[in-house]
Every structure is written in structure tokens, then in C-alpha cells.
Amino acid sequence: MTWADTFLRTLKENDVRLVTYVPDNVLTPLIDGAAADNYFMSIGATREDEAVGTLAGAYMGGLRGVAMMQTSGFALIANALASLIVPYQIPAIIAVSERGTLGEFNIGQVTVARTMRPTLDSIAVTHHTLTDEATMPLIVDKSIKQAFTTQSPVVFIFSPLLTGGNPAAAAKLT
Amino acid sequence: MIALEGDGSILMALGCLATIGMVKPRNLTIVIMDNGIYQITGRQKAATASSADIVAIARGAGIANSHWVRDETHFEELVSRRFDADGPALLAAKIDDAPGTAQTVRDPPLIRHRFMRGLGTARRSALDA
């Protein structure tokens, strides 16, 4: 079973049915896997803060959801987190593929990636970096349960150690 | 579901109209109150005051059932349609540019909890008795 299958299975086990996303190369197995499975309601958003806002509305309507994006897209959601998710105590589940490290070719991705963990730490949003398939099921399952129990968001950062990184990157590195 | 929005607010998030036009939630009515200015920040003009047409933008985004509201009677007629009738609707109304007369209580968890209680989705406990 791949990391993507494991993540989707854990979402199902926790009744997380809504998947909002902005397309990303690394997360393609997750996005395609969710779209191909009738269990999930899959919605492509135009921006990452729209994907997060949709989760907030769904949660208030009784539907659990996850938003998927890449690192540079995460840089768009600071305001949605700080003015909506955190103060309104919305248990948003957010999956971010980690660009900008371990073989990145795009200097913009490198710089924006450095803002991700400090941003989350500054607003006290829990985040876990997923690096291997052995520890991933426990981290994801327990963290989703903790998020809904404590009305708090959680961010999963998918490391290239887990995903293999951007498949298009290798050819662009010198 | 009725979503209430302002013109400045929707101009910041026009992409969501494309998503709504794609997903086509049948029970959604969006009401845009268009005063043409950013009233709360000092009455600066918005693009809606001169050039941007929210209804045309919404139609272009795939929300075919989008209308400018002519007056209160027209609004009553448009908003009383069956919610599950024919896909999402957007109703935009030019309103006056006077400042708001009341302030929402600034207590986010309370606002969320009351909203969820109204929908029947809130947690229940002995505290609700």
C-alpha cells in the first residue's frame, strides 16, 4: 500500500469525506485517488484559502474535510488560518506537499518553504512532518482524532523522504 | 443556504464564483450587497462603482441564474424561489453607502457555536440543558 493509499484510508476511518485541493504534482496520487473514490466529495478550488474556507463551512454543516496544497500555496492561507480557522476553533485538516528542500530547482519555492513552519508556530497551529510509511498511520490517525476532539486545526507536511519529491525536479537540477 | 456578501469582499475572491459555477450546489443563493465603496476603511471607491459588473462576472463564471435586483418587490420575488429549484443563484443589489448601524458581537467561538446549533450540527452536552 502506498503512502497515498494509507492517507486516504485513514481519512475514511475518521469520517473525513470532503477533499478540497489546488492541484499539485506530488499530491497527484492523493487527489486522483480521492476523485476516483465515491466515498469522497472532491472539489478543486481556485485558491488555497478558498479550499480552507470551504472546509470551515463544511465543518459547520456537519461534514469533515481536508484541504490539499503545495508549499507555495500554503503561503496564501496565513490570513484564513489566523482570522478564521484559529479564532473560530475549526478543526481543519490540511495536507501540504513539501517543496523547497531536498532537491528543489525553483528558488522561489526554496524561499517560500522557509516561511511555512515559522508561520504555523507563530499562530500555534500543530504540524507534523510525515517522513516514512511506518510512523505515518499513527501520526495521521491520532492527529485527526485530536483535531476534532479539541476543535483545533492540524497540518500534515508530506516530506520528500515519504513522497520521493517532485518527479519533474530531477531533470532540472544541475 | 443563503450567503451574504459585499461587493468589495467578493472582488477579493472572484475565483470562488468559478468554483460555484462548476460544482453547482442546488441549494445556494448568494446575495451581494453592492455599495460601490469600501465603507469601513474610509469610503474608497471599489471597481464596482464604475466598471466591474458582479452579475456579468457571475454569469461568466457559470452561475447562469444571476440577476440585478431592481427593487424590494423584485428581491422578494427572486429570493422566494424554491431553494432546490435550478442550481445556484446570485442576486446583486445596489444599496446606499451609509455606514452600518450595528456591530456584531466579536466572539468567534460563540458565533460558530450558535450557527451550528441553528443547523443542528453542534456538539451537545449537559451545558446545553
Side-chain angles (χ1 to χ4, degrees):
Chain A
M1 184 169 273
T2 69
W3 59 268
D5 295 329
T6 303
F7 189 75
L8 292 176
R9 189 195 66 214
T10 312
L11 293 177
K12 281 187 180 182
E13 288 168 357
N14 286 281
D15 300 321
V16 179
R17 300 183 73 103
L18 174 67
V19 175
T20 62
Y21 65 91
V22 176
D24 171 58
N25 209 338
V26 174
L27 293 181
T28 296
L30 276 184
I31 294 166
D32 288 355
D37 187 334
N38 284 337
Y39 176 85
F40 295 107
M41 179 192 297
S42 197
I43 296 177
T46 58
R47 283 168 52 107
E48 289 77 2
D49 48 7
E50 181 191 315
V52 170
T54 305
L55 290 193
Y59 174 72
M60 290 190 289
L63 178 66
R64 293 178 169 195
V66 58
M68 300 179 180
M69 63 196 69
Q70 65 168 276
T71 309
S72 59
F74 175 86
L76 272 178
I77 69 170
N79 192 36
L81 291 175
S83 66
L84 174 65
I85 299 299
V86 172
Y88 285 82
Q89 299 176 2
I90 306 281
I93 311 298
I94 299 173
V96 185
S97 69
E98 187 174 28
R99 292 279 309 262
T101 186
L102 300 177
E104 178 60 62
F105 60 88
N106 181 337
I107 192 170
Q109 291 277 2
V110 173
T111 308
V112 81
R114 292 188 188 119
T115 70
M116 181 162 57
R117 290 180 182 85
T119 298
L120 290 167
D121 290 337
S122 70
I123 55 175
V125 168
T126 300
H127 58 88
H128 296 285
T129 301
L130 306 176
T131 58
D132 64 89
E133 295 198 38
T135 57
M136 177 188 165
L138 185 141
I139 293 171
V140 173
D141 178 62
K142 298 293 186 188
S143 298
I144 291 176
K145 288 180 166 62
Q146 177 175 327
F148 286 107
T149 305
T150 63
Q151 302 260 147
S152 309
V154 64
V155 176
F156 299 115
I157 300 168
F158 286 72
S159 166
L161 293 171
L162 177 74
T163 63
N166 184 354
K172 297 177 185 171
L173 291 166
T174 54
Chain B
M1 182 70 71
I2 299 177
L4 303 176
E5 267 284 37
D7 53 324
S9 177
I10 198 67
L11 283 174
M12 281 190 194
L14 291 175
C16 76
L17 295 177
T19 305
I20 291 163
M22 175 178 68
V23 177
K24 297 202 183 325
R26 289 197 306 166
N27 61 348
L28 177 64
T29 298
I30 305 162
V31 176
I32 308 281
M33 293 166 282
D34 179 358
N35 63 1
I37 58 170
Y38 297 94
Q39 163 62 242
I40 203 167
T41 57
R43 303 180 55 84
Q44 297 88 350
K45 276 190 180 169
T48 42
S50 55
S51 45
D53 182 320
I54 295 296
V55 167
I57 292 168
R59 284 183 184 152
I63 307 174
N65 196 3
S66 298
H67 308 278
W68 278 110
V69 175
R70 290 190 301 271
D71 52 33
E72 289 179 20
T73 310
H74 190 213
F75 179 76
E76 290 291 340
E77 176 192 321
L78 290 171
V79 85
S80 21
R81 74 190 187 106
R82 278 174 54 91
F83 279 143
D84 60 354
D86 50 358
L90 182 141
L91 313 178
K94 293 287 184 185
I95 63 169
D96 67 62
D97 61 4
T101 54
Q103 174 71 59
T104 308
V105 59
R106 293 198 181 272
D107 188 334
L110 179 67
I111 293 169
R112 176 186 51 72
H113 187 67
R114 289 181 62 180
F115 187 81
M116 293 177 72
R117 283 188 71 163
L119 290 180
T121 54
R123 285 179 178 170
R124 297 203 167 275
S125 77
L127 292 174
D128 291 323

